[in-house]
Amino acid sequence: MQNQIYIKGARQNNLKNITLHIPRDKLVVFTGVSGSGKSSLVFHTIYAEGRRRLMESLSAYERGSLRKTDEAEVDLIEGLSPAIAIEQKTVSRNPRSTVGTLTDIGAYLRLLFSRASRAVCPHGHGDIPVNKKRQLIRHLMGYPEGTTLEIYTRDDVLLGTFTVHPQQHRSLQALIDAALEAGEGFMKLGVKRDGVLAFDSVLGCSTCGMVACEAAAGAFSFNTPLGACPTCTGLGRHYYVDPDLVIPDKTKSIGDGAIQLIGWQCEKDKFAKNRKIFEALANRYHFDLFTPVEHLPEEALNAVLYGTGGEKIAIENPSIGGKPMNERFAGIINIVYERFNGYAKNELSEIKGEDKSVMREQLCPECAGTRLKRQRLLYRIDGQSIHDLSEMPIQELREFCQRPFRQGLSPQEEAVAQPIFREIAARLTFLIEIGLGYLSLSRPVTMLSGGESQRIRLTTQLSSGLMGMIYILDEPTVGLHSMDSGKLLRMLQRLRDLNNTILVIEHDEEFIAGADHIVEIGPGAGALGGEVVAEGTLAQLKSSPLSLTGQYLSGARVIELPRRHRLRDVDLQSRNTRYLEILGARENNLKNIDVRIPLGCFVGITGVSGSGKSTLVNQVLVEKLRSQLERRASHLTADVEIRGMEWIEDVVYMNQQPIGRNSRSNPATYIGVFDHIRRLFAATAQAKAAKMKESYFSFNTAGGRCEVCSGLGVLVTEMQFMSDIEVVCEACKGQRFKEEILDIAYRGKNIAQVLDMSIAEAADFFGDQPPIHHKLTLMNRLGMGYLKLGQSAVTLSGGEAQRIKLVEELGGAKKGIGKLYILDEPTTGLHFADIQRLLDIFQELVAEGNTVLVIEHNLQLIKTLDYIIDLGPEGGNRGGQIVAAGTVEEVAAVEASYTGQYLRQILG
């Protein structure tokens, strides 16, 4: 095998005919400013070509079940081997997927409980042994011939009787099978002798005679009917419609749009069906459609939300000349339930997404969130149910698995259990070594960060022991504290030492320093990038005059400390200091903490992974602030008190969720400049002469868009086991619009050409249009000038999405009005140079009288904060406390703070 990967003529996206030699069996880091072309080279060229070649080696049948991969734009790649990409994306959107199912540790736990558990008597009489079915039948057939046995289910319901006879073995087996099925593994045995009934307690409870039988592994799975709670079908939670979300503003009337749900807006058209339904309700319950909802009679509002209780009301039907039809009305809330369940399997449905927006989740009342049938929780090992073990932090679960003996296990059960315990402990060790010891096996995959998902998948690869592979990772340090990034680096080095090639896109200083080989793509972003500006060792990068990364690593360039910290000389106890106070935060792992956030400052929440940062900010603070602003009850498990709201004019919360659900969403539509652009085109003399409206210049609506491709620009043909063929639409040549629309020009550019501009180019083009120029300039300042104006939202990273949300907010913000800006890891995906741009924006916001609150791990940003609240000391149950709070220097002086330890290093 070659000792290098040779790439010649890579031209994917913005790559400029790159030729590159990448050493094999090494840890290679690719770095460079955001948008420089790193992903285009690593994922869209190397990985895409490796995967395509692997698929071509498979049969047509095998290829049919795999996702298709297009051929990369490259002349030649040599030295490839099978490649595994571990991207920074949530692994699954399935709410049934958990850390336990993803790592297969859950399967080992289920096997363990099916083979070596004891049961707790349902009547509270203590532990009872778990019997094999054949053992139970052998015992009963051992009674003297003619003995009458009575079989009861666990609810003391007589299921049947049996007279012991050697020839009736199968009849007894059928009766026991029926009893165990009805009793979910539990049954009672009654023995009649001389007309006297006594319960057999030889194999069961000595007090009540309850017998437990061995359950199959599937009986402990919440993903099978055998084990899943019947009420929530194994989800542990269920949705309920919140009336306050159906009608958020009760000062509005139904006629003025108090209800905005798809399909239930009160249409202005007097012939619309929904309007006729509302008019019928108004007639029956004597109210006016234009009376504010808060003033409606209780009976009327209940009828709108929950229906007429079976009573038929007269509803005019426009399709039959307005004649009334007597119909029952189920109520909007009941209709939403029915509609939501109808789209249960379609998570991407727009209607389901709309219905979810008016729903809340709550614990299942039957299983209390355990997901399992209650009978399955009666099976225990060392007093712990399978749910108890799944809820433990992984660190604690490993300690449980490594105990030298188990209470109540027989020597045979111990012999069966020990190999399973060892396998579970080995897999848990990988997770702990990579910094995920704070997670539990029950954590839903949908609640994992991109970095956590990557690291979990990485442990699976480590345990496989494969050699000669290419592993590709996308910023695996996202969401990692500096203490944990070192663990991840060492794990990747172990994977490399198995003769694997590790290709990592990364900005983290420690990762770059720990690489065997570094490749920097640049020098700029978008059209200004796509070249190899430097490569080699860390020393070579530092000495390269062309390497922007090297200049930051060598200290030639630095992210400057602020000239003064706003709170260095301020006493927080002073009455003159304004702050937002959270009292009694107890959600998840938070230990009833009181938190003070100084207002008018740049504040950061820091701490190791899993210490409670996201819980404190995203779940507790944001939810409580929203509930107060919306004048509703907060949906917190443990409510908190918030003080200082009188100093805050508004709360702006920006997370890393996508800015759109489909490929039609783009930066121009999200930040609102597309409306202005369409208005400019509609105002041209050509458009006016042709009577073209603004809507004609949108590819999302009929009129101006190309109807052959519905404004997508391409036609997709599915090719079964071959790659789908995406052909440029012949009608519009990929430009999405009709020819007559493309003939309209604004300053020499048609609408398709404008959407194809980069943000930087468009900012210059619309320099005399303040509503457009201002927002595009902000995007450019935040390092996103390389993005296309009409770029599909689904191609944007979480960091890019968050910064676009920031632009959308700042584009129309008033200065100095006391807003609270909350951001979750805003440095995600940012190079040193991009972080500086972001910091400039944050400092301006604070200088104008606002407060910026961030969750952050990046030390380059943390060192510039006015005030730090450091949580910990560890993750999971060992976290949730305030370890340190104060200025950068004060936190750096706290020995117990891991953040402080790293701050001391960076501050010198």
Side-chain angles (χ1 to χ4, degrees):
M1 184 180 289
Q2 290 182 240
N3 63 357
Q4 64 179 7
I5 300 170
Y6 173 56
I7 302 169
K8 179 183 178 183
R11 301 177 301 279
Q12 193 73 26
N13 299 333
N14 69 329
L15 299 181
K16 295 187 172 60
N17 207 35
I18 282 179
T19 295
L20 186 64
H21 296 81
I22 302 171
R24 288 188 59 90
D25 303 336
K26 302 291 183 184
L27 173 56
V28 183
V29 167
F30 293 80
T31 190
V33 297
S34 303
S36 59
K38 303 181 295 296
S39 295
S40 296
L41 175 61
V42 178
F43 281 98
H44 303 147
T45 301
I46 299 173
Y47 172 64
E49 186 63 11
R51 191 174 189 279
R52 187 187 66 81
R53 292 183 188 181
L54 177 62
M55 286 183 64
E56 285 186 352
S57 70
L58 303 176
S59 68
Y61 173 79
E62 291 168 322
R63 296 202 300 271
S65 60
L66 298 174
R67 179 172 56 85
K68 289 82 178 177
T69 303
D70 294 328
E71 189 170 353
E73 289 191 50
V74 61
D75 292 336
L76 175 68
I77 301 184
E78 293 179 347
L80 280 179
S81 57
I84 295 175
I86 306 177
E87 298 181 75
Q88 191 199 113
K89 293 180 180 176
T90 300
V91 178
S92 170
R93 296 183 63 180
N94 188 340
R96 295 183 178 277
S97 183
T98 65
V99 172
T101 61
L102 185 62
T103 58
D104 285 336
I105 297 174
Y108 284 94
L109 276 182
R110 294 194 293 274
L111 177 64
L112 180 68
F113 273 81
S114 70
R115 296 292 183 267
S117 62
R118 296 182 70 81
V120 175
C121 173
H123 301 305
H125 300 138
D127 286 356
I128 54 177
V130 173
N131 306 281
K132 290 182 171 59
K133 190 164 60 174
R134 63 177 180 271
Q135 176 185 3
L136 185 59
I137 293 173
R138 190 186 311 120
H139 171 71
L140 295 179
M141 291 300 292
Y143 276 104
E145 186 175 342
T147 303
T148 300
L149 304 177
E150 293 186 354
I151 311 296
Y152 295 81
T153 67
R154 57 168 293 184
D155 296 319
D156 290 341
V157 175
L158 178 63
L159 188 73
T161 60
F162 174 78
T163 302
V164 178
H165 188 279
Q167 305 301 319
Q168 297 296 319
H169 182 277
R170 289 187 177 179
S171 298
L172 176 61
Q173 182 173 333
L175 189 58
I176 287 177
D177 284 342
L180 291 174
E181 183 177 354
E184 300 287 357
F186 290 84
M187 56 181 280
K188 272 189 179 183
L189 297 173
V191 184
K192 256 190 178 178
R193 289 175 178 163
D194 302 325
V196 178
L197 179 69
F199 286 107
D200 186 321
S201 59
V202 175
L203 298 180
C205 177
S206 59
T207 303
C208 67
M210 184 67 71
V211 173
C213 203
E214 182 181 73
F220 298 98
S221 171
F222 48 76
N223 288 326
T224 65
L226 198 59
C229 166
T231 301
C232 63
T233 66
L235 291 174
R237 307 181 73 84
H238 73 100
Y239 288 101
Y240 71 96
V241 178
D242 187 340
D244 289 336
L245 295 179
V246 175
I247 308 178
D249 186 355
K250 294 180 175 56
T251 63
K252 285 186 176 181
S253 68
I254 293 174
D256 287 328
I259 301 170
Q260 286 297 312
L261 268 172
I262 291 178
W264 282 105
Q265 303 95 331
C266 185
E267 304 290 349
K268 300 298 182 185
D269 182 0
K270 63 181 180 180
F271 296 110
K273 180 181 178 181
N274 288 340
R275 187 176 184 88
K276 291 301 182 185
I277 292 174
F278 285 127
E279 287 176 351
L281 289 168
N283 289 334
R284 167 61 183 83
Y285 295 98
H286 313 294
F287 69 91
D288 191 293
L289 288 182
F290 293 94
T291 298
V293 171
E294 61 186 355
H295 298 313
L296 290 182
E298 183 178 352
E299 183 187 26
L301 185 56
N302 282 337
V304 171
L305 294 175
Y306 300 103
T308 57
E311 178 187 349
K312 292 183 178 180
I313 58 174
I315 304 173
E316 291 184 10
N317 189 338
S319 63
I320 55 175
K323 293 181 180 179
M325 297 180 63
N326 293 321
E327 294 183 2
R328 296 180 179 90
F329 178 61
I332 292 176
I333 285 180
N334 293 324
I335 291 170
V336 167
Y337 275 126
E338 183 179 353
R339 190 167 73 176
F340 180 77
N341 292 328
Y343 286 88
K345 295 183 179 180
N346 186 0
E347 285 293 331
L348 297 179
S349 163
E350 183 179 359
I351 291 178
K352 180 162 186 176
E354 179 77 7
D355 290 344
K356 261 191 176 181
S357 70
V358 296
M359 292 178 130
R360 301 280 186 190
E361 276 187 284
Q362 67 179 15
L363 286 178
C364 171
E366 171 70 16
C367 68
T370 64
R371 298 179 171 220
L372 293 166
K373 292 178 178 176
R374 285 180 290 181
Q375 292 89 328
R376 302 307 179 214
L377 302 178
L378 296 174
Y379 290 81
R380 308 284 176 87
I381 292 179
D382 232 1
Q384 304 291 322
S385 70
I386 190 169
H387 175 71
D388 293 333
L389 297 186
S390 298
E391 284 286 300
M392 282 184 183
I394 286 169
Q395 182 80 42
E396 291 182 21
L397 180 57
R398 185 180 67 167
E399 293 170 5
F400 178 87
C401 292
Q402 292 175 333
R403 288 182 188 174
F405 63 90
R406 309 282 158 190
Q407 182 179 357
L409 288 188
S410 67
Q412 181 181 355
E413 290 169 335
E414 187 74 32
V416 170
Q418 279 308 320
I420 305 176
F421 275 124
R422 281 197 298 272
E423 182 63 32
I424 293 173
R427 289 171 178 258
L428 294 174
T429 297
F430 281 127
L431 292 168
I432 292 167
E433 288 179 352
I434 211 164
L436 296 174
Y438 60 90
L439 292 178
S440 65
L441 296 183
S442 61
R443 173 77 72 90
V445 168
T446 53
M447 293 177 63
L448 296 175
S449 69
E452 287 169 336
S453 299
Q454 276 197 99
R455 281 175 274 150
I456 288 174
R457 293 175 62 195
L458 186 59
T459 60
T460 306
Q461 298 304 322
L462 263 174
S463 62
S464 71
L466 288 173
M467 300 171 62
M469 302 289 291
I470 297 175
Y471 289 98
I472 299 174
L473 294 93
D474 183 12
E475 293 194 74
T477 62
V478 168
L480 268 186
H481 190 273
S482 298
M483 183 186 74
D484 299 314
S485 59
K487 298 175 184 177
L488 176 59
L489 177 59
R490 289 189 289 275
M491 183 162 280
L492 289 177
Q493 289 169 337
R494 284 171 56 188
L495 200 57
R496 172 205 61 192
D497 293 342
L498 291 173
N499 295 325
N500 295 299
T501 303
I502 317 296
L503 308 182
V504 184
I505 295 175
E506 193 53 80
H507 297 293
D508 182 78
E509 296 174 64
E510 186 176 2
F511 249 77
I512 297 172
D516 302 311
H517 190 81
I518 307 164
V519 178
E520 183 171 359
I521 307 296
L528 300 177
E531 302 176 34
V532 177
V533 296
E535 64 171 314
T537 64
L538 178 64
Q540 288 172 319
L541 209 70
K542 286 182 177 180
S543 62
S544 171
L546 300 177
S547 171
L548 185 60
T549 305
Q551 292 173 37
Y552 277 99
L553 294 173
S554 67
R557 290 193 185 207
V558 294
I559 293 177
E560 296 286 352
L561 288 169
R563 293 178 181 177
R564 69 177 186 87
H565 285 286
R566 296 175 180 87
L567 284 174
R568 183 168 288 154
D569 304 314
V570 175
D571 181 5
L572 273 184
Q573 304 300 325
S574 169
R575 292 183 179 179
N576 296 324
T577 303
R578 295 178 178 179
Y579 51 81
L580 187 68
E581 194 169 15
I582 308 168
L583 301 177
R586 304 181 299 282
E587 206 78 8
N588 294 341
N589 68 332
L590 298 179
K591 306 289 195 301
N592 196 28
I593 58 175
D594 297 338
V595 182
R596 284 184 168 184
I597 300 169
L599 298 177
C601 298
F602 187 16
V603 184
I605 309 293
T606 63
V608 298
S609 304
S611 58
K613 303 181 299 297
S614 294
T615 297
L616 175 64
V617 177
N618 299 340
Q619 290 182 241
V620 176
L621 178 60
V622 171
E623 169 59 22
K624 188 63 178 180
L625 289 175
R626 282 179 169 172
S627 69
Q628 291 194 4
L629 291 170
E630 296 169 8
R631 298 179 182 178
R632 60 170 173 81
S634 66
H635 296 275
L636 293 171
T637 305
D639 203 6
V640 298
E641 181 184 353
I642 297 281
R643 294 178 183 171
M645 274 292 291
E646 65 270 19
W647 307 116
I648 297 174
E649 289 294 327
D650 193 13
V651 177
V652 181
Y653 174 56
M654 286 165 279
N655 56 22
Q656 295 194 17
Q657 293 300 311
I659 62 171
R661 291 179 180 171
N662 55 54
S663 60
R664 293 182 181 274
S665 301
N666 56 56
T669 56
Y670 188 84
I671 65 175
V673 299
F674 197 32
D675 293 337
H676 295 287
I677 291 171
R678 289 188 289 111
R679 202 167 295 136
L680 291 175
F681 274 91
T684 60
Q686 289 174 283
K688 286 181 177 179
K691 297 182 179 179
M692 292 179 178
K693 304 174 184 177
E694 291 176 29
S695 60
Y696 282 45
F697 296 93
S698 170
F699 51 74
N700 289 326
T701 58
R705 73 180 182 188
C706 171
E707 292 301 335
V708 176
C709 63
S710 298
L712 289 174
V714 294
L715 298 172
V716 180
T717 304
E718 293 185 4
M719 297 296 288
Q720 296 183 7
F721 58 82
M722 294 175 61
S723 296
D724 290 350
I725 295 179
E726 198 173 84
V727 181
V728 174
C729 176
E730 284 294 325
C732 67
K733 303 295 188 290
Q735 298 185 84
R736 297 180 159 200
F737 294 91
K738 292 178 180 178
E739 187 175 350
E740 53 267 35
I741 299 297
L742 296 173
D743 287 338
I744 308 296
Y746 175 78
R747 293 181 178 173
K749 300 275 189 183
N750 65 32
I751 188 68
Q753 291 169 330
V754 166
L755 288 173
D756 197 48
M757 288 180 177
S758 68
I759 298 297
E761 186 183 357
D764 290 336
F765 186 78
F766 294 106
D768 63 341
Q769 299 294 327
I772 303 172
H773 176 74
H774 176 51
K775 290 186 177 182
L776 297 184
T777 301
L778 274 173
M779 286 189 71
N780 211 13
R781 284 187 62 193
L782 285 169
M784 293 185 290
Y786 60 91
L787 295 177
K788 297 283 188 182
L789 199 58
Q791 185 169 333
S792 170
V794 298
T795 67
L796 301 174
S797 69
E800 288 168 337
Q802 186 172 221
R803 293 194 295 280
I804 289 174
K805 292 175 186 177
L806 182 61
V807 170
E808 194 274 335
E809 164 61 28
L810 298 183
K814 296 178 182 178
K815 294 186 178 181
I817 60 170
K819 288 189 176 184
L820 172 62
Y821 292 90
I822 301 175
L823 298 97
D824 188 359
E825 294 199 64
T827 61
T828 297
L830 290 187
H831 186 268
F832 298 98
D834 300 314
I835 292 173
Q836 185 63 67
R837 295 189 183 101
L838 184 66
L839 284 173
D840 292 341
I841 297 288
F842 287 160
Q843 294 292 0
E844 287 177 15
L845 281 173
V846 176
E848 291 166 0
N850 302 293
T851 304
V852 176
L853 176 67
V854 297
I855 299 173
E856 194 53 76
H857 290 292
N858 189 293
L859 291 169
Q860 295 296 330
L861 182 144
I862 292 172
K863 74 179 185 182
T864 69
L865 293 168
D866 296 318
Y867 193 77
I868 299 172
I869 300 165
D870 191 47
L871 299 185
E874 305 287 345
N877 289 344
R878 298 177 182 179
Q881 303 175 56
I882 297 178
V883 178
T887 63
V888 173
E889 293 80 7
E890 289 170 339
V891 171
V894 178
E895 289 292 334
S897 168
Y898 290 119
T899 303
Q901 294 174 21
Y902 285 92
L903 276 175
R904 286 199 294 276
Q905 297 175 22
I906 201 169
L907 295 175

